[in-house]
Amino acid sequence: MMSEQEALKCSNARNRGGTQRVEGKLRASVEKGDYYEAHQMYRTLFFSHDAGAFIAFRMFLWHCAADLSMLVLESLEKSEAKVEDEDLEHLAKLFSLMDPNSPERVAFVSRALKWSTGGSGKLGAPKLHQLLAVTLWKEQNYSESRYHFLHSSDGEGCAQMLVEYSAQRGFRSEVDMFVAQAVLQFLCLKNKNSASVVFSTYTQKHPSIEKDPPFVQPLLNFIWFLLLAVDGGKLTVFTVLCEQYQPSLKRDPMYNEYLDRIGQLFFGVPPKQSSSYGGLLGNLLNSLMGSGEGEDEEGEEAQEHGSPIELD
């Protein structure tokens, strides 16, 4: 009878052989320009019911994740295959296996997001952003996770991540600021639905916040009234609201900048002739909000402008 240790050695040897075959076939397909074959092969491996082949594939990913991820992405780019949810899930899985600190991971994300929208220049498919956000959340990379949640349609997931972020990294006095920033940024992206969901979920689930309005924290009451005002669309209500809550809004200099944009998008406020902000602050706003006008659909069309950035 073969001992357990000997059996493990044999299994590892078979898996190493499998990883070499996987790498060789995929690389050969890409190098000879047969991107359809490469695309089909990696899909077959992901869906394989052959446990040995899948283990070999995963072992190869752990050792050469960055290299293989780029090969898989190149096969997708050049195969002109239709973007499917399964492909987005595969790309997110490859992302999760890469070294979080590797520069290749940054390049991979940029190319994957571009491919997910057909190279149209949009910020990326909301589904892929959501999958990336969840992976980064598991890694406790909360700021990067929040960025990707903002460009997804998952307000509930974003709220749950923010509750954890607040508990792990924030001060008790800042519990209201975590969700206020997210709501204002969702509104700047013209995504009213996610703004409402992130607010209601966060206030319901955060252990330091009352479950229903009115809240102890004035900033939370402002956000609650703001969401109601956005639905009503009355400029006078918006103006009075911003004036009454100025003490709370002065806690973060970005709040009034966000509200200027929200006023333009939802209340017909004309754009300022000249921006009062510049440099890094201006770049952040332009990247987050986009510079185009006339988007009619919430969320999706607002993502056509700008480029991915890290939001503090």
Side-chain angles (χ1 to χ4, degrees):
M1 292 288 291
M2 184 182 295
S3 69
E4 183 177 344
Q5 187 174 8
E6 289 173 333
L8 181 60
K9 287 181 179 179
C10 289
S11 176
N12 288 339
R14 286 194 301 270
N15 287 336
R16 281 195 298 273
T19 62
Q20 291 170 355
R21 287 192 296 274
V22 168
E23 179 182 12
K25 289 180 179 180
L26 186 55
R27 191 177 299 279
S29 296
V30 172
E31 288 177 352
K32 70 183 181 180
D34 193 345
Y35 299 106
Y36 176 79
E37 180 182 336
H39 179 220
Q40 292 301 115
M41 184 171 63
Y42 99 81
R43 286 175 65 88
T44 300
L45 283 166
F46 265 106
F47 286 110
S48 177
H49 295 289
D50 182 337
F54 186 72
I55 291 171
F57 190 48
R58 285 190 63 87
M59 284 186 63
F60 174 58
L61 287 175
W62 279 109
H63 293 294
C64 308
D67 191 31
L68 179 62
S69 297
M70 289 303 187
L71 281 173
V72 168
L73 188 53
E74 186 176 353
S75 75
L76 286 170
E77 290 170 339
K78 297 189 177 181
S79 68
E80 299 182 357
K82 181 182 177 182
V83 177
E84 304 283 357
D85 281 353
E86 292 88 351
D87 293 320
L88 300 179
E89 290 166 4
H90 300 163
L91 292 175
K93 183 177 290 187
L94 289 168
F95 173 80
S96 71
L97 293 172
M98 298 175 75
D99 178 358
N101 299 313
S102 69
E104 291 85 0
R105 200 188 206 199
V106 176
F108 174 77
V109 168
S110 179
R111 283 179 61 180
L113 288 170
K114 183 177 181 181
W115 172 81
S116 72
T117 53
S120 65
K122 294 183 181 181
L123 291 183
K127 173 70 173 178
L128 182 55
H129 276 293
Q130 190 267 342
L131 294 168
L132 296 174
V134 170
T135 294
L136 291 161
W137 177 11
K138 291 176 181 178
E139 296 173 357
Q140 296 188 317
N141 188 341
Y142 299 114
S143 61
E144 291 275 358
S145 175
R146 186 167 62 83
Y147 166 75
H148 287 288
F149 270 125
L150 280 171
H151 294 287
S152 75
S153 301
D154 187 5
E156 183 175 357
C158 182
Q160 293 173 342
M161 181 277 295
L162 289 173
V163 170
E164 183 179 310
Y165 190 7
S166 169
Q168 295 289 334
R169 306 282 173 84
F171 296 105
R172 186 178 178 86
S173 61
E174 297 175 336
V175 294
D176 50 350
M177 299 180 75
F178 278 82
V179 71
Q181 183 186 45
V183 170
L184 294 174
Q185 290 179 341
F186 269 125
L187 289 176
C188 286
L189 293 169
K190 225 180 175 188
N191 190 340
K192 288 194 299 183
N193 181 63
S194 293
S196 296
V197 171
V198 75
F199 181 73
S200 60
T201 305
Y202 183 90
T203 53
Q204 285 289 321
K205 292 186 177 295
H206 201 294
S208 300
I209 296 176
E210 302 79 8
K211 303 304 178 188
D212 298 296
F215 303 98
V216 171
Q217 299 90 343
L219 183 60
L220 293 181
N221 289 322
F222 169 78
I223 296 296
W224 175 46
F225 286 128
L226 175 64
L227 290 169
L228 294 175
V230 164
D231 284 334
K234 293 184 178 179
L235 177 57
T236 52
V237 174
F238 174 71
T239 302
V240 171
L241 187 60
C242 292
E243 290 174 351
Q244 291 296 315
Y245 281 91
Q246 271 305 304
S248 294
L249 297 177
K250 288 179 180 178
R251 293 172 64 192
D252 187 330
M254 286 299 299
Y255 289 165
N256 282 313
E257 305 293 356
Y258 292 141
L259 288 167
D260 285 343
R261 178 63 171 169
I262 290 167
Q264 296 169 31
L265 292 173
F266 297 102
F267 300 97
V269 177
K272 291 182 178 180
Q273 292 299 315
S274 60
S275 174
S276 61
Y277 47 86
L280 183 61
L281 188 64
N283 290 336
L284 187 150
L285 277 171
N286 290 332
S287 297
L288 172 65
M289 302 172 189
S291 57
E293 294 294 329
E295 302 98 326
D296 294 326
E297 303 209 4
E298 296 175 17
E300 290 186 9
E301 290 196 22
Q303 294 180 17
E304 292 183 8
H305 310 282
S307 58
I309 57 170
E310 293 183 12
L311 299 175
D312 296 327

